Amino acid sequence: MSQQSVAAKGRKMKLNSRTKFGVVVAASALLLSACGGGGTSADGSGTPAKGGTITYLTIAEQFNHVDPQRNYTGQDLAFFGSYVNRTLTSYAHAEGPAGAELVADMATDTGTTPDGGKTWSFTLRDGLTWEDGSEVTCQDVAYGVSRVFATDIIVDGPTYAISYLDIPAGDEGSQYPGPYKATAEQQALYDNAVSCADKTITFKLNKVVADFNYTVTLLAFAPVPKAKDTGEKYDDAVVSNGPYKIESYVKAQSMTLVRNENWNPDSDPIRKAYPDKVVVNFAQDQAVIDSRLIASAGDDAFAVSMDGIQPENLPTVFGDDQFKDRRVNETDPYAIYTAINVKKVNCLPVRQALFLALDREALRAVAGGEYVGDFADGFISPTLALDYAPNTLPDGVQ
């Protein structure tokens, strides 16, 4: 049997591959930085204050992608969307249900549609700037979105722009091949679907998409300055329009973000930008990450694990009140499940027997017990129960 998990999205963080187990709802047990990633107030109240360094520790050797149009994993979207790349709209940076609220980001509102969702317009705020101080324009947004169509270069990212924009289809996808290869005629197809009038960008869609203003929260709809676009190499050195910019990035070692002195906080109602510096340390040993976070010595008091805590350390983290302000254990909206290779095990009764013989409690115990997740009754997480009919488990499943 091979084990697979549904990829995590949004600001939730997924369990690493060592903690996969039979059909359960994944819950991420993480240690987070104190005081929102910045320093504490002088009176020790814990109120966020600007200053200091927040350090992320991870077993990963690099980010999957840095290029906004190629960025599609939840953790990476959350990281770069918080620090480097701004989009027309965003989700509120808030805890609980409030974090699902759609809010205006680079745009002055969450979008308008005159025809029930087939045409969407967004007007940019004043004061939007790139890290070199130049203005972020409507044309920068249009150009950024156009890069999605260059599927031979800009790979791995979401393709909603290709699916939704009113551009004729070709033999291999869209008739528009992206900005690198387009003829004048092909570019005109795109310009008809995505147009700018001063600070307002308008998207003409090929069908009604009532939640398109949610779609543009994805970094695939982030702006890119055409003059600074280096194609595939842009994945290593993006230009920031957020509160931080990349000072250095060495894969398998570290990434360092420093303040973008040309970011205008008056144009950004979402990001507070508390720390002076953000450092990501890659290729860290998981045991070392856990021990550093548990010790919380020096700068590690403001360190964050980008991966799940090891199962053997969960009782310590959740059994000691000294960690109560740093630990997070939230139910992820995805299910982790055991998938049988049906080509190799092509006998249905055998597959049913394997399923019934699976000791779910034992697998959950190995992964970390009750801290790791609750049992689901199928592929759909119980957190989505209102949208799906409940499943019924076969007789004999414990």
Side-chain angles (χ1 to χ4, degrees):
M1 274 183 282
S2 64
Q3 292 183 329
Q4 301 174 345
S5 66
V6 179
K9 296 183 184 177
R11 287 186 292 275
K12 306 294 185 187
M13 299 191 187
K14 63 183 178 181
L15 296 166
N16 60 54
S17 59
R18 295 180 301 98
T19 57
K20 293 178 182 175
F21 48 97
V23 186
V24 301
V25 177
S28 302
L30 305 171
L31 287 179
L32 299 182
S33 67
C35 305
T40 57
S41 59
D43 60 7
S45 65
T47 303
K50 289 190 174 183
T53 298
I54 182 171
T55 301
Y56 289 89
L57 306 173
T58 179
I59 61 176
E61 293 194 350
Q62 64 182 74
F63 286 109
N64 290 306
H65 289 292
V66 179
D67 185 327
Q69 273 70 45
R70 300 177 66 179
N71 208 318
Y72 202 17
T73 61
Q75 185 167 274
D76 294 356
L77 287 169
F79 183 89
F80 289 103
S82 296
Y83 295 128
V84 178
N85 302 120
R86 295 181 60 185
T87 45
L88 294 167
T89 62
S90 182
Y91 288 97
H93 288 201
E95 296 182 6
E101 179 186 357
L102 184 72
V103 295
D105 189 345
M106 288 198 308
T108 56
D109 55 34
T110 56
T112 59
T113 174
D115 53 9
K118 196 170 182 181
T119 304
W120 283 89
S121 294
F122 304 85
T123 299
L124 298 184
R125 297 177 185 272
D126 293 332
L128 301 175
T129 53
W130 292 107
E131 63 181 66
D132 63 1
S134 61
E135 180 185 6
V136 176
T137 67
C138 177
Q139 288 75 19
D140 292 334
V141 180
Y143 181 78
V145 178
S146 75
R147 299 173 77 245
V148 174
F149 289 79
T151 54
D152 56 333
I153 297 174
I154 308 303
V155 299
D156 297 337
T159 57
Y160 291 106
I162 298 175
S163 300
Y164 289 164
L165 291 178
D166 190 16
I167 299 174
D171 294 335
E172 298 180 1
S174 173
Q175 288 188 26
Y176 176 62
Y180 309 119
K181 296 181 178 180
T183 63
E185 183 179 2
Q186 291 170 326
Q187 187 63 45
L189 295 175
Y190 179 80
D191 294 342
N192 180 65
V194 182
S195 58
C196 287
D198 194 18
K199 288 180 173 289
T200 299
I201 185 168
T202 298
F203 299 92
K204 295 179 182 178
L205 311 183
N206 55 29
K207 55 191 162 188
V208 170
V209 182
D211 60 352
F212 185 72
N213 52 350
Y214 284 82
T215 305
V216 298
T217 63
L218 290 167
L219 299 189
F221 290 85
V224 171
K226 183 176 181 179
K228 300 292 181 64
D229 183 14
T230 53
E232 187 174 7
K233 293 181 179 180
Y234 195 69
D235 204 22
D236 295 325
V238 303
V239 182
S240 171
N241 69 325
Y244 298 89
K245 61 184 180 181
I246 299 174
E247 180 181 65
S248 64
Y249 181 27
V250 181
K251 296 174 182 177
Q253 294 186 28
S254 66
M255 172 181 282
T256 299
L257 306 181
V258 295
R259 289 192 182 278
N260 172 11
E261 63 273 13
N262 285 309
W263 169 70
N264 180 3
D266 293 336
S267 76
D268 194 336
I270 300 173
R271 299 160 186 82
K272 304 304 180 184
Y274 291 118
D276 289 332
K277 184 181 292 185
V278 179
V279 177
V280 183
N281 289 330
F282 298 108
Q284 302 294 299
D285 181 86
Q286 181 67 72
V288 174
I289 292 176
D290 285 10
S291 64
R292 286 178 60 178
L293 292 172
I294 290 172
S296 297
D299 290 342
D300 285 344
F302 300 96
V304 180
S305 169
M306 298 182 85
D307 310 297
I309 300 300
Q310 292 186 114
E312 59 267 28
N313 292 323
L314 289 170
T316 298
V317 172
F318 285 93
D320 192 331
D321 280 348
Q322 71 171 301
F323 302 114
K324 65 181 181 180
D325 294 329
R326 299 191 66 198
R327 64 195 180 206
V328 174
N329 190 31
E330 297 181 339
T331 301
D332 191 287
Y334 300 92
I336 293 176
Y337 60 92
T338 298
I340 300 173
N341 187 323
V342 296
K343 291 184 178 180
K344 292 184 177 180
V345 186
N346 56 16
C347 177
L348 177 59
V350 171
R351 296 201 299 271
Q352 291 172 328
L354 288 170
F355 180 78
L356 291 170
L358 187 67
D359 189 337
R360 300 201 302 169
E361 188 59 64
L363 290 172
R364 186 172 74 155
V366 169
E370 62 180 298
Y371 305 109
V372 179
D374 299 325
F375 292 118
D377 57 6
F379 296 124
I380 303 301
S381 165
T383 61
L384 303 178
L386 293 177
D387 297 318
Y388 295 89
N391 293 302
T392 302
L393 290 174
D395 291 338
V397 173
Q398 301 298 319

